Amino acid sequence: MHKKLFIPGPTEVAPEVLESLGGPMIGHRSKAASDLQRSISDMLRTVFCTEQEILLSTSSGSGLMEGAVRSCTAKKAAMFSVGAFGDRWYKMATANGVPADIFKSELGQATTPEMVDQALATGQYDLVAITHNETATGIMNPVEDIAEVMKKYPDVVWCVDAVSSAGGSKIETDKLGIDVLITSTQKALAVPPGMAACTISQKAYDRTSQVQNRGLYFDFKELYDTVKSKDYQYPSTPSLPLMYALDCQLKRMMAEGMDARYARHIEMAEFMRAWAKEYFALFPNDQYLSNTLTVINNTRDIDISGLNKALGERGMQLGNGYGSLKNLTFRIAHMGELTMSDMREITSAIEEILDL
Ligand SMILES: *Cc1c(COP(=O)(O)O)cnc(C)c1O
């Protein structure tokens, strides 16, 4: 039996998107490949609220995160972490020999505009990376407020990990002045795992020329130059089946309408928060709650693996806590293709199983 996924990625994929994976191969240097990749980039511009260029990558989101840090840091990077995925920004820098400092918030708290201002005021940094939606703690960082601070530092390249939010929660990339906004296919975009996409601003692109060792596969300059000079083609062979699936899903998203899609996510988020408060408690600071997943404090000390096993018998799966929060919290994603009726289905099942 298929278990409906309430984990924060991979998420449920629509049957027609799954079918599109099986299309016949085309040459990756053909006009058909250019047309496909241009179509995807155009629709992603709508999703990301940007007019900038889009880079597609046959890797999960981590590939583009690593590429961004390595390609766009000439001096030193300031990494803001509110949990496991923010810590990864810092690890990516150090693993690539990129000078970086990490600024951590307590688990369940946000990155504040003051923290960013204080770090950038030192003049040491030329790249800032933050997490938009921390999938480990359920925090959605206040990017609108952070954007006000970033405007004071026009030479700093701003990278945002929106892996678990873009496509499910509105992010106005250009209006906020974000230089590189990154997401993966398998979360709110609701496409199978294996590809990632990001925006790249002129500022981020210009920075790449000042960096000598950008690596090769994730070199943002090489990716951008190839997209521009070869009509949306890529230096290496991309995953064409995933391109078909992404194109198919983005068309479905355009048909739903992005505003309707965001409203659906907010409705699910509000339902799940209210439920969590009634039976348990919310883990993160409730001023900064994620629209795409709810992280619930395990105040009843329930056996989360046991709960998941019982849910599995009913064809559902939720997420245990991440890393150090395992068993102390559990996570219910409300992203991608899930609907209000799915929210009601999983919460009633949990109430029944736990006899709440
Ligand atoms: C899942 C996730 C990642 C890692 O993405 P991959 O596609 O698995 O490389 C990074 N950041 C956040 C916030 C995530 O949720």
Side-chain angles (χ1 to χ4, degrees), residues 31-287:
K31 181 172 179 302
S34 288
D35 290 345
L36 174 64
Q37 287 150 200
R38 186 184 321 102
S39 158
I40 290 170
S41 294
D42 285 343
M43 289 186 282
L44 281 175
R45 270 187 269 271
T46 303
V47 174
F48 295 149
C49 306
T50 186
E51 310 215 307
Q52 315 277 4
E53 202 44 82
I54 303 289
L55 302 178
L56 302 172
S57 170
T58 293
S59 67
S60 72
S62 302
L64 285 179
M65 289 169 68
E66 187 161 345
V69 169
R70 185 162 178 172
S71 303
C72 301
T73 312
K75 266 188 342 197
K76 196 175 192 185
M79 306 318 208
F80 291 87
S81 173
V82 295
F85 290 103
D87 291 352
R88 274 174 78 80
W89 274 125
Y90 179 69
K91 287 182 194 154
M92 284 165 178
T94 53
N96 281 286
V98 173
D101 289 324
I102 184 167
F103 301 89
K104 278 166 91 87
S105 303
E106 233 176 273
L107 290 181
Q109 299 300 328
T111 296
T112 63
E114 292 74 25
M115 288 171 71
V116 177
D117 203 4
Q118 209 174 17
L120 292 187
T122 65
Q124 286 187 61
Y125 306 103
D126 64 351
L127 182 136
V128 158
I130 69 163
T131 311
H132 177 244
N133 189 70
E134 175 54 67
T135 318
T137 65
I139 281 279
M140 191 167 260
N141 267 320
V143 281
E144 288 81 11
D145 300 334
I146 293 169
E148 291 307 311
V149 170
M150 293 306 298
K151 287 188 181 122
K152 288 169 56 183
Y153 304 96
D155 296 333
V156 177
V157 168
W158 185 16
C159 301
V160 176
D161 166 0
V163 169
S164 61
S165 49
S169 192
K170 188 171 191 177
I171 309 167
E172 295 187 275
T173 305
D174 286 358
K175 196 174 144 201
L176 297 174
I178 296 169
D179 295 295
V180 179
L181 183 91
I182 301 169
T183 201
S184 307
T185 47
Q186 78 277 14
K187 299 200 177 166
L189 291 179
V191 171
M195 281 208 31
C198 73
T199 67
I200 174 169
S201 71
Q202 189 65 42
K203 190 205 293 181
Y205 175 72
D206 291 345
R207 174 66 57 71
T208 60
S209 310
Q210 300 167 29
V211 179
Q212 276 206 335
N213 296 307
R214 299 183 299 268
L216 189 76
Y217 194 67
F218 296 112
D219 175 3
F220 272 35
K221 180 166 166 47
E222 171 90 351
L223 290 167
Y224 182 96
D225 288 344
T226 311
V227 164
K228 287 293 197 196
S229 65
K230 291 197 173 159
D231 195 13
Y232 286 92
Q233 293 186 2
Y234 285 87
S236 308
T237 321
S239 171
L240 292 160
L242 284 164
M243 293 281 193
Y244 297 153
L246 187 52
D247 191 54
C248 176
Q249 172 64 2
L250 285 164
K251 284 174 179 152
R252 294 180 74 256
M253 286 167 62
M254 297 298 118
E256 179 181 12
M258 290 313 296
D259 286 340
R261 190 173 177 87
Y262 297 138
R264 172 164 62 77
H265 280 76
I266 289 172
E267 192 184 2
M268 291 191 290
E270 284 172 351
F271 175 89
M272 200 47 77
R273 290 168 197 161
W275 182 83
K277 282 194 216 165
E278 185 172 347
Y279 294 104
F280 294 90
L282 293 171
F283 175 74
N285 180 335
D286 66 6
Q287 277 184 63

